[in-house]
Amino acid sequence: MTTRKRLLLLSAVAILSAGVPAFAQNQEAAPLLLGAMGVAPGDSVVISREECLDIALSQSPTIRIADLEVKRVGYAKRETIGNLLPQIGFSLSYQRSIELQTIRMNMGGESQKLKMGSDNTWNTGFSLSLPIIAPSLWKAISLSQTQIEQNLEAARSSRLEMVNQVNQAYYSLMLAIASRDVIQQNYDIAKYNAEVFRKMHEQGTASEYDVLRSEVQVKNVEPSLLDADISVKQCQLQLNVLMGIDDALNLIPSVRMEDMQKDMYGYLLESKSIADNSSLRSLELSQKLARQNVAMKKLEWLPTLGGSFNVNWLSLSNGPMFKDVDFSPYSSAGLSLSLPIFSGGTKWNALKQAQVQHTELQLQKENLVNSLNMQVDLALDNINKQVRQIDSSKEGVVQARKAHDIMQKSFQIGAASYLELRDAELADTSAQLAYLQSIYNYLVSTSQLDMLLGKDYAPAPADAD
């Protein structure tokens, strides 16, 4: 099966497991589709680390939320730009007078009362307003662009974290399977020895105590083998969850832990630069936003100028609501200038707060740079130590295996006791587990270093059909 087909298959499973409404309405949809693809829930699928990463980055809710947040801030920027465009509105109002206003006037030496106004008042029209000089609004656009960059970096940080998590989960699964194989090998040897003692006892060349002791050794290994199986299942579930496919499939790594050593010495660090570190880039964007905020606070002292234009129609009538309705047009245009003079020190204090925040971010950046450089140096030092540990552990495996073979032959000719043979078997098992653990530690360290340096994951090109 090609990489492209495998990705399509696993992506389909991921969609089913994510609970898409179209499939959620039919509980049999997932089994039917999986059956049509030749797999069923619980089947084992061999998968590479790169395929796991591709699926996780496309299906993870965390990544999708980060992408949606970028889209949301993009709409916020458009909203800010919209405030610089003309604002057009329409209005329609009606007013019914219950009691008209009364005024007194002296006419011919006599005081008379006059009613003023009309029973019905209709007013409708269009209004247009446009900011002509609005420095704060202009600066707000650059702030919105910086916020978009912040969210893009947050989405990138989520991807880097997801890659690291999937890498570690994949390596953990490789370690769990390899460790289980080692324990299974130890269990098979213990069963073989127990069977040998049983036959020797039947022939009268071994005591019942030897038989019981060998069978006890088999029982002692069984819990470890059970724990190893549980560990494999837990690692599979963890990887499934990160990929967004739950427990639909049993994923099996396409490579063994031992096979990873041949590529280890090919890990090259092109640069120790921390410029791409996500935390550092996020802090630099926060600094940029703080600088822009300081500039915008200063612009609040500048005057603003706005223009307006109104076209209205007015109708005044007496009697019923719709009687003698006759609209007469009237219009107006104007400019509005606003100049802040005194606001109780609020603008000044707001500016000082923004300046203090910018200074704080600068100090945080200096501290973060020092911390990241130290972490990179420590990570590289640990990786170099782990490379030497791998070589040492591998040599230990060779020596332990050789010692076990010698003890096995000595035991077969009666020159060594069963206890000595069992000690050699345990030493061989411990050496293999230590070797596997050293490879795992190296792989996890390189993944963490890649995340620390902000190395973006580049998906491999799909295979041709």
Side-chain angles (χ1 to χ4, degrees):
M1 183 180 294
T2 64
T3 300
R4 182 177 300 172
K5 291 181 179 179
R6 290 158 63 86
L7 288 176
L8 289 174
L9 166 62
L10 292 171
S11 297
V13 176
I15 294 175
L16 291 173
S17 302
V20 179
F23 289 103
Q25 296 176 358
N26 183 2
Q27 297 180 354
E28 296 181 356
L32 288 176
L33 182 57
L34 292 175
M37 292 181 173
V39 296
D43 281 357
S44 297
V45 174
V46 178
I47 187 171
S48 68
R49 181 180 61 89
E50 290 76 12
E51 291 172 335
C52 291
L53 289 172
D54 291 337
I55 295 173
L57 292 176
S58 63
Q59 297 297 330
S60 170
T62 302
I63 303 301
R64 295 166 69 183
I65 290 173
D67 292 338
L68 288 175
E69 187 64 16
V70 173
K71 184 181 294 187
R72 183 191 67 81
V73 178
Y75 288 129
K77 180 183 178 181
R78 295 180 185 179
E79 179 185 6
T80 303
I81 296 176
N83 291 327
L84 297 175
L85 301 178
Q87 308 294 313
I88 301 176
F90 171 79
S91 64
L92 172 64
S93 65
Y94 168 77
Q95 180 179 331
R96 176 74 181 185
S97 298
I98 299 175
E99 183 68 29
L100 296 177
Q101 294 180 349
T102 302
I103 62 173
R104 291 179 180 273
M105 297 185 64
N106 289 327
M107 301 180 64
E110 296 182 359
S111 178
Q112 296 184 6
K113 296 181 178 180
L114 298 176
K115 297 286 187 179
M116 297 187 64
S118 58
D119 295 336
N120 305 304
T121 302
W122 291 88
N123 195 350
T124 185
F126 295 91
S127 63
L128 181 147
S129 62
L130 173 66
I132 300 175
I133 300 177
S136 296
L137 283 177
W138 299 339
K139 197 62 179 179
I141 296 177
S142 62
L143 262 69
S144 298
Q145 179 60 37
T146 304
Q147 290 173 344
I148 292 177
E149 294 174 5
Q150 280 186 318
N151 282 271
L152 286 171
E153 184 57 36
R156 176 176 172 270
S157 177
S158 297
R159 285 182 168 82
L160 291 174
E161 181 64 29
M162 178 59 66
V163 169
N164 184 47
Q165 290 180 359
V166 172
N167 282 340
Q168 294 195 37
Y170 191 84
Y171 297 148
S172 296
L173 179 57
M174 293 173 59
L175 176 63
I177 293 176
S179 299
R180 182 189 60 186
D181 293 341
V182 171
I183 297 175
Q184 180 68 51
Q185 179 185 5
N186 184 265
Y187 178 74
D188 294 339
I189 292 175
K191 285 185 64 177
Y192 172 78
N193 289 332
E195 184 65 24
V196 170
F197 271 110
R198 187 178 299 108
K199 293 180 179 179
M200 292 174 62
H201 176 65
E202 293 174 355
Q203 297 175 0
T205 58
S207 65
E208 184 178 2
Y209 172 75
D210 292 332
V211 176
L212 293 174
R213 185 171 60 179
S214 62
E215 291 179 348
V216 167
Q217 290 297 333
V218 175
K219 297 298 182 182
N220 289 339
V221 180
E222 287 179 354
S224 298
L225 186 60
L226 180 60
D227 290 341
D229 288 332
I230 294 175
S231 178
V232 171
K233 185 61 178 177
Q234 290 176 340
C235 292
Q236 287 176 332
L237 291 176
Q238 181 184 8
L239 186 56
N240 288 341
V241 170
L242 288 174
M243 293 172 59
I245 62 175
D246 297 333
D247 57 349
L249 298 173
N250 292 326
L251 302 180
I252 305 297
S254 59
V255 294
R256 299 184 307 167
M257 182 65 76
E258 300 91 329
D259 298 333
M260 298 297 293
Q261 186 184 3
K262 61 184 180 181
D263 298 327
M264 288 183 176
Y265 303 102
Y267 179 82
L268 297 176
L269 184 62
E270 297 178 355
S271 172
K272 292 172 54 178
S273 173
I274 58 173
D276 290 332
N277 177 269
S278 184
S279 297
L280 181 59
R281 289 174 61 168
S282 296
L283 189 56
E284 289 174 343
L285 289 171
S286 296
Q287 272 190 292
K288 181 180 178 181
L289 192 64
R291 287 195 301 269
Q292 293 172 339
N293 191 34
V294 170
M296 190 171 70
K297 295 299 182 184
K298 293 179 180 179
L299 293 176
E300 291 181 358
W301 272 293
L302 299 179
T304 58
L305 179 65
S308 62
F309 179 76
N310 297 280
V311 178
N312 298 86
W313 289 266
L314 178 67
S315 174
L316 302 174
S317 63
N318 293 316
M321 179 176 178
F322 295 104
K323 182 181 179 182
D324 299 330
V325 176
D326 183 17
F327 286 100
S328 299
Y330 69 97
S331 60
S332 64
L335 295 175
S336 174
L337 176 67
S338 176
L339 177 63
I341 298 177
F342 179 72
S343 57
T346 57
K347 290 183 174 62
W348 173 260
N349 290 316
L351 173 61
K352 288 301 180 182
Q353 290 182 53
Q355 290 174 336
V356 169
Q357 183 183 25
H358 180 263
T359 303
E360 290 176 350
L361 290 172
Q362 179 62 35
L363 294 175
Q364 291 178 16
K365 178 184 176 181
E366 294 175 1
N367 185 57
L368 180 61
V369 168
N370 294 332
S371 176
L372 290 175
N373 285 326
M374 181 186 65
Q375 292 179 46
V376 170
D377 291 338
L378 289 175
L380 289 173
D381 186 52
N382 287 333
I383 289 175
N384 292 330
K385 289 181 180 178
Q386 286 158 5
V387 169
R388 293 194 295 269
Q389 180 64 37
I390 291 172
D391 291 336
S392 177
S393 299
K394 184 177 182 180
E395 186 175 340
V397 169
V398 174
Q399 293 175 347
R401 180 62 53 84
K402 183 177 181 180
H404 174 263
D405 293 341
I406 294 174
M407 192 58 63
Q408 182 74 39
K409 294 178 180 178
S410 300
F411 174 75
Q412 292 174 355
I413 63 176
S417 65
Y418 177 72
L419 183 59
E420 293 174 327
L421 175 62
R422 190 58 189 165
D423 287 342
E425 293 172 354
L426 293 176
D428 183 29
T429 300
S430 299
Q432 292 185 63
L433 293 177
Y435 172 61
L436 295 174
Q437 184 68 45
S438 62
I439 297 177
Y440 169 80
N441 292 339
Y442 172 87
L443 294 173
V444 170
S445 296
T446 55
S447 178
Q448 292 175 343
L449 180 59
D450 286 343
M451 186 182 70
L452 186 62
L453 296 176
K455 282 189 174 182
D456 294 314
Y457 167 71
D463 295 339
D465 288 337

